[in-house]
Amino acid sequence: MNTIDLIVPCYNESEVLPLFYSEVCAVSEKRSDFDFTFIFINDGSKDSTFTVIEELAKQDTRVKYISFSRNFGKEAAMLAGLKYSTADYVCILDADLQHSPDLILEMLSSLENNPEYDVAAARRTDREGESKFKSAFSKFFYSVINKMSSVDIPESAQDFRVMRRKVVDSIISLPEYNRFSKGIFSWVGFNTLWFDHENRERAAGETKWSFFSLLKYAVDGIIGFSTVPLKISLVTGSAVSLLGILYALYIVIKTLIKGPDVNGYPSIICAILVLGGLILISLGIIGEYLSRIYLEVKHRPVFLIDKTNIQPK
Ligand code: UDP
Ligand code: MG
């Protein structure tokens, strides 16, 4: 029998989980030749999400869960699910039903029929149910990261995807602590078949992303997949120094020809402010990379598990 694991990160999703479970069950019945397993990751929810998951596990042996000791973030939840998955095919999808469960079957059969493809991934065609500000910010972020990084990260790509076992094994072989999955998915390669997917409104509950968490996600993505910011400070620093040297030469020549000039206080202040600013920015950029290196060398686990009903592989 073919097998597929559904990885579902959940953070405060108690309202939507019963609905999610019944919709996905209905979808799974259409493919009776497949063994479906749910892997719910309770990412330190503060509501009754874990109780709901435990109830589901009591009713249905296909329901597996991993419950974290605290909130580690969606990236950690996805990694835990991938690490504990054993099926031939693995699907990642959100609990809020924004990722239409019907598409799982389409993605799955496309992989069965096209052996040359290893990943079937959803990309959104619209940004329904999202603020204009968030959409604009996200567009800007992807244009920046794609210019700076050598891996291509499509703006519309979602985490919603079905992958073959070998792709999952490749993803979990990357040991980094600071995980930016969209970059990792592109970095590991493999042929990807894209599915256009209309974003639906959340079925219940609310989004977990604030502006600052999105900003942090964007910085993590850029720092994790590009060293260009380090070069920006080198290039601007060099350009400003060159201008400074040219200006100094100009002053020396002017002084030799016209005699000393007591004015010039404003230009000195400007130079100090601009240069001081550039130095601080450069230090800040180096600091961002250094802090990532610091976290990586500590070799801390990406997540800690409190309870699970899955036997480790
Ligand atoms: N999520 C998670 N940990 C977090 C934040 C979110 O596991 O710290 C889960 C959440 O339960 C949902 C998915 O990640 O299943 C996407 O989150 P959300 O719907 O809030 O994001 P959005 O769709 O607004 O981008
Ligand atoms: Mg959502």
Side-chain angles (χ1 to χ4, degrees), residues 94 96 98 202:
D94 285 358
D96 56 7
Q98 279 186 307
R202 229 174 197 284

Side-chain angles (χ1 to χ4, degrees), residues 204-217:
E206 52 189 40
T207 177
K208 313 298 172 316
W209 294 92
S210 65
F211 174 70
F212 284 103
S213 61
L214 274 177
L215 192 67
K216 185 181 167 294
Y217 181 71

